[in-house]
Amino acid sequence: MQEGGDAMSGREGIGPAQVPARAKQAGEARDRWSWAEPLVWTERMLTALEEGVKGGKWYSLIDKVYAEPVLGAALARVAANQGAAGVDHVTIARFTSERDANLRRLSEELRSGTYRPQAIRRHYIPKPGSREKRPLGIPTVRDRVVQTALRAVLEPIFEQGFAAHSYGFRPHRGCKDALRRVDGLLKAGHVHIVDADLKSYFDTIPKDRLLAQLGRKVADGRILALVEAFLNQGVLDGAEEWTPEEGTPQGAVISPLLSNIYLDPLDHLMAEAGYEMVRYADDFVVLCRSPEEAAAALVAVRQDAAGRRAEQGL
């Protein structure tokens, strides 16, 4: 396993893969990946992403996360999103008042392997159309910065293979795009619908299976360990603190990407079976031309769900 190196050097974080010569033609891949963080994803890396890397796995990525320029760009995004302080009571304003020292400290902790995420502060928000309240996790500002940098490194790797019918938490896609796709399918005669909502989805994702899916494309053990550390963050709810046995916390920067990674096999299973599916996060519909097709689609979804529960030992 190859790790380390300077994130701003010529090493592009692709391990043993060879970068194609034509990747040197400036701007070709960048135009297609305009949303990707340029401090991480250079033209050479983007071209290698499109053409594939040796063994289909990416090596030596941790140095991209701990690079101070990348952490600085991540802090700018965290600040733009605003948000409350976490369990340490450090606000964005306070963190940025000592920006250079804080980023330097974070970089060194990530480089040396001594970084440890702090507990997540549990906060409850109203759930639309219900008297229930939705639990929301608020990580500390420092942890949000690291998660944002980590997402900048990982997202293009997995975005490259995500299914076209997945619309939630993806670059240049949104709810309106999903609704337009549904409308188009309805007008084309797909009027028999299977409507599914995965209950408590974020809280029930099995950590082992999620990490295994990450490992299919990422071979940097320190990156996988960092994701695992975030999955194992404690939760502080008032005076009570515990560590969830499964799930990825709602409110964490990295959670939407992880949720899409986990459901990606279902997306491709349905697409390969020929079903017209539209998914937005944990809500999805399968639009069919006949009641028989809808019944078969429902069986396929239930079988997938049963298989996931069996793997979890439920």
Side-chain angles (χ1 to χ4, degrees):
M1 182 177 297
Q2 301 180 18
E3 294 181 350
D6 183 353
M8 297 296 106
S9 70
R11 292 183 62 189
E12 302 298 350
I14 54 176
Q18 298 297 314
V19 179
R22 78 175 184 85
K24 297 179 182 178
Q25 300 177 21
E28 286 187 10
R30 172 57 56 189
D31 290 344
R32 294 186 290 274
W33 295 86
S34 59
W35 56 269
E37 174 54 65
L39 290 171
V40 175
W41 289 93
T42 64
E43 184 76 17
R44 285 164 55 85
M45 282 184 69
L46 290 173
T47 303
L49 175 67
E50 292 186 342
E51 298 196 351
V53 293
K54 186 176 181 180
K57 291 189 176 185
W58 290 75
Y59 296 74
S60 304
L61 295 171
I62 190 65
D63 57 322
K64 304 295 183 285
V65 178
Y66 67 60
E68 285 189 42
V70 175
L71 291 171
L75 174 57
R77 292 192 178 189
V78 170
N81 290 333
Q82 301 180 350
V87 296
D88 60 358
H89 305 293
V90 175
T91 63
I92 293 174
R94 181 178 168 187
F95 191 92
T96 54
S97 69
E98 299 179 6
R99 176 188 183 279
D100 292 345
N102 284 328
L103 294 182
R104 191 160 48 246
R105 187 179 304 112
L106 269 183
S107 177
E108 180 54 35
E109 289 178 3
L110 289 163
R111 185 193 304 265
S112 64
T114 59
Y115 170 83
R116 298 291 182 273
Q118 295 172 281
I120 293 173
R121 180 168 67 86
R122 176 61 61 87
H123 177 70
Y124 294 90
I125 59 175
K127 189 174 182 179
S130 172
R131 293 184 178 180
E132 298 179 13
K133 289 192 174 182
R134 185 188 302 274
L136 185 68
I138 303 177
T140 60
V141 174
R142 70 189 288 274
D143 289 342
R144 299 207 297 269
V145 170
V146 175
Q147 287 193 21
T148 301
L150 179 61
R151 178 170 180 167
V153 171
L154 291 178
E155 189 165 29
I157 294 173
F158 291 92
E159 177 66 27
Q160 171 75 351
F162 281 161
H165 63 246
S166 167
Y167 291 90
F169 309 120
R170 294 184 60 188
H172 301 314
R173 286 170 170 253
C175 185
K176 291 182 179 180
D177 299 305
L179 291 173
R180 277 192 287 269
R181 178 61 179 159
V182 169
D183 182 61
L185 288 168
L186 289 172
K187 290 177 178 176
H190 296 77
V191 295
H192 300 274
I193 300 172
V194 176
D195 186 358
D197 179 6
L198 304 177
K199 186 176 181 180
S200 301
Y201 170 59
F202 281 89
D203 296 330
T204 58
I205 296 175
K207 299 175 184 179
D208 289 347
R209 179 166 175 169
L210 174 58
L211 288 168
Q213 287 180 216
L214 280 165
R216 292 190 180 100
K217 291 190 176 183
V218 174
D220 189 330
R222 293 176 67 184
I223 288 287
L224 297 176
L226 185 57
V227 173
E228 186 173 13
F230 283 124
L231 292 176
N232 290 325
Q233 281 178 280
V235 176
L236 184 64
D237 189 348
E240 183 181 1
E241 183 175 356
W242 75 95
T243 301
E245 294 183 0
E246 58 186 6
T248 179
Q250 294 191 53
V253 175
I254 198 72
S255 289
L257 173 61
L258 296 180
S259 70
N260 276 333
I261 290 171
Y262 180 67
L263 278 183
D264 189 53
L266 172 62
D267 289 340
H268 288 283
L269 172 70
M270 299 301 286
E272 289 165 7
Y275 293 114
E276 294 289 358
M277 175 171 158
V278 179
R279 182 173 69 83
Y280 191 93
D282 54 354
D283 295 321
F284 65 88
V285 292
V286 186
L287 296 98
C288 305
R289 289 188 176 276
S290 69
E292 293 76 18
E293 184 184 358
L298 181 58
V299 169
V301 171
R302 285 176 170 168
Q303 287 178 340
D304 179 81
R308 291 171 187 268
R309 286 195 297 270
E311 288 189 8
Q312 293 174 248
L314 299 178

